[in-house]
Amino acid sequence: MDLQEYLPFWQDLTAHQRAVLSRSVTKRTVPEGTLLHSGADDCVGLFLVLHGMLRAYMVSQEGREVTLYRLLERDICLFSAGCMLNSVDFDIYVEAVQETEFLHIPTDVYQKFMQDSLPVARYTNELMASRFSDVMWLLDQVLNKKLDSRLAAFLLEESDLQGTPVISITQETIARHLGTAREVVTRLLRYMAAEELITLSRGQVAIKDLKKLETLAADSRR
Amino acid sequence: MDLQEYLPFWQDLTAHQRAVLSRSVTKRTVPEGTLLHSGADDCVGLFLVLHGMLRAYMVSQEGREVTLYRLLERDICLFSAGCMLNSVDFDIYVEAVQETEFLHIPTDVYQKFMQDSLPVARYTNELMASRFSDVMWLLDQVLNKKLDSRLAAFLLEESDLQGTPVISITQETIARHLGTAREVVTRLLRYMAAEELITLSRGQVAIKDLKKLETLAADSRR
């Protein structure tokens, strides 16, 4: 495991700290759909993605999900160890969107480092600021964009992530990402298909008119 | 200025750091309505509230505001020094809701401390986690509560802050807090007045039926 390659603070750790970290970090691979972290009671530790993709989301009282951010290669999930910070009082869920290989750093190990090492504490500040920015972006979207525009932006992002204009995704999954009901997504997708922005088939959404979709994503505001 | 009383990390600073901080911190008083921080280009430093109240908000492209959190006595505004953190890519505005006395810590001074002092870096982590929790609460509200419920919750909070059931506030101001248009707020307030939850007069909203308002705030969900 090339920890020095993934952890920017590695070079600033003492030999003892490096030994502790190397001993406690484990590499794991989980299949698509695995729930890695579930709410506040569960404080399993940090996940550093090597391959694949994790999704962090929150769940409303009625069980509706909304995606907060997605973690790709080299990204670190901090809030699955949220109990390290006294001031964290929200629940986050983390699941593997596809088969994912990741490094797991136990909460107590990282917490000790955060208390002892200035470079780790500073790194944690940047990590949190980065996720904060993700959530502020989402808040801006939710407050200021209509759902059709958020859906267009989501399809473009998903197409980028999958590296193809033909996106493999169910309407149920899209609804969970956007924090809305499947029926609402179905209605919007049908509308977009009628407008020839996309074509629909079972389990797939194909981008047909990229330019129009980009326009919709950019400026259709409430 | 009793810096040791307000800054939990004071006792962990070196004598030199304490001298630097004491020299650079200034106490200021600004009248109601003063804009203390305006977006990303403006990175004026941290504000520690002594008396009064600050409001941090964001502004959409169309100029619509939404309140992110409010800062009362002993609260610290971190993101008015957001440029300290590379990963912060959102704009925050900060204004004085009422006449406010605060301590100002210049950005470069705090940034240096954050780089040099583990207690300051750890304190910053907690500070950020606390604001993160505020914004996650807001996101949950926006995603999962209808506007009438958010308005009811806002009136209850405002009544608490003002320490009276007769709230002095304009409909324009309420709209800015909730990130919606004044016309929408007017309609909802009139509805609530018709339902005898509140009574309306010029520049004032009086809570009439506390219990019903609390019920509306708690469980009217989308």
Side-chain angles (χ1 to χ4, degrees), chain A residues 138-150:
Chain A
L138 176 62
L139 183 62
D140 187 47
Q141 290 269 313
V142 168
L143 278 168
N144 297 313
K145 290 216 172 190
K146 285 198 300 191
L147 196 62
D148 57 350
S149 176
R150 288 175 58 212

Side-chain angles (χ1 to χ4, degrees), chain B:
Chain B
M1 280 181 291
D2 294 329
L3 285 174
Q4 60 269 46
E5 198 193 321
Y6 292 104
L7 300 173
F9 54 76
W10 176 266
Q11 60 190 31
D12 299 310
L13 296 178
T14 64
H16 174 69
Q17 286 172 327
R18 287 182 193 180
V20 170
L21 195 55
S22 300
R23 243 194 343 259
S24 45
V25 168
T26 50
K27 191 190 279 190
R28 288 173 58 190
T29 304
V30 292
E32 179 185 331
T34 308
L35 189 63
L36 287 171
H37 182 260
S38 169
D41 302 333
D42 196 11
C43 192
V44 290
L46 287 84
F47 305 121
L48 196 166
V49 178
L50 300 177
H51 301 288
M53 196 197 303
L54 301 180
R55 176 175 84 99
Y57 59 98
M58 63 180 207
V59 180
S60 74
Q61 287 189 339
E62 302 80 46
R64 214 146 46 94
E65 300 178 5
V66 66
T67 299
L68 296 168
Y69 42 81
R70 293 193 271 188
L71 301 160
L72 303 170
E73 202 182 314
R74 293 182 178 271
D75 284 336
I76 289 192
C77 189
L78 177 69
F79 290 112
S80 47
C83 61
M84 293 188 308
L85 295 153
N86 299 321
S87 314
V88 169
D89 66 359
F90 49 86
D91 295 357
I92 275 186
Y93 296 74
V94 180
E95 69 162 18
V97 178
Q98 48 189 244
E99 182 179 279
T100 301
E101 185 184 39
F102 61 91
L103 299 180
H104 171 247
I105 308 176
T107 303
D108 56 341
V109 173
Y110 194 86
Q111 185 167 22
K112 181 90 175 58
F113 281 23
M114 215 171 64
Q115 274 157 10
D116 295 346
S117 161
L118 179 58
V120 175
R122 284 173 53 191
Y123 175 72
T124 309
N125 271 320
E126 283 297 340
L127 211 54
M128 198 162 8
S130 173
R131 295 302 159 254
F132 205 121
S133 298
D134 291 338
V135 170
M136 288 291 288
W137 178 86
L138 176 62
L139 184 62
D140 187 47
Q141 291 270 315
V142 169
L143 278 168
N144 297 312
K145 290 215 173 191
K146 285 197 300 191
L147 196 62
D148 58 349
S149 177
R150 288 175 58 210
L151 175 56
F154 174 79
L155 292 175
L156 291 168
E157 188 194 351
E158 193 62 31
S159 166
D160 263 3
L161 285 170
Q162 295 193 12
T164 163
V166 184
I167 307 158
S168 299
I169 197 162
T170 65
Q171 301 187 0
E172 192 67 51
T173 304
I174 296 175
R176 279 209 304 276
H177 275 289
L178 299 177
T180 187
R182 194 193 51 74
E183 294 72 24
V184 178
V185 169
T186 303
R187 203 178 57 215
L188 279 172
L189 285 173
R190 281 187 188 151
Y191 168 80
M192 285 185 187
E195 294 285 306
E196 305 205 320
L197 301 177
I198 55 171
T199 49
L200 290 174
S201 54
R202 195 171 177 77
Q204 286 191 332
V205 180
I207 294 177
K208 196 171 175 184
D209 191 328
L210 183 65
K211 225 166 190 169
K212 272 197 193 166
L213 205 60
E214 285 173 342
T215 306
L216 180 61
D219 60 28
S220 173
R221 280 160 175 272
R222 214 191 261 156

Side-chain angles (χ1 to χ4, degrees), chain A residues 6-130:
Chain A
Y6 292 105
L7 300 172
F9 54 75
W10 177 266
Q11 59 190 31
D12 299 310
L13 296 178
T14 64
H16 175 69
Q17 286 172 327
R18 287 183 193 180
V20 170
L21 195 55
S22 300
R23 241 192 347 259
S24 45
V25 168
T26 50
K27 192 191 278 190
R28 287 173 58 191
T29 304
V30 293
E32 179 185 332
T34 308
L35 189 63
L36 288 171
H37 182 260
S38 168
D41 301 332
D42 195 10
C43 193
V44 289
L46 288 84
F47 305 120
L48 195 166
V49 178
L50 301 177
H51 302 287
M53 198 197 302
L54 301 180
R55 176 174 84 98
Y57 59 98
M58 63 181 209
V59 180
S60 73
Q61 287 188 341
E62 302 79 47
R64 214 143 46 93
E65 300 179 5
V66 66
T67 299
L68 296 168
Y69 43 81
R70 294 193 270 186
L71 302 160
L72 303 170
E73 201 183 314
R74 291 180 178 273
D75 284 336
I76 290 191
C77 189
L78 178 68
F79 291 111
S80 47
C83 61
M84 293 187 309
L85 295 153
N86 299 322
S87 313
V88 169
D89 67 359
F90 50 88
D91 294 356
I92 275 187
Y93 296 74
V94 180
E95 69 162 15
V97 178
Q98 48 189 245
E99 182 179 280
T100 301
E101 185 185 40
F102 63 89
L103 299 180
H104 172 248
I105 309 175
T107 302
D108 56 341
V109 174
Y110 194 87
Q111 185 166 24
K112 182 90 173 59
F113 280 25
M114 215 169 67
Q115 273 158 10
D116 295 345
S117 161
L118 178 58
V120 176
R122 284 172 53 191
Y123 176 72
T124 309
N125 271 320
E126 284 296 339
L127 212 54
M128 197 161 9
S130 173

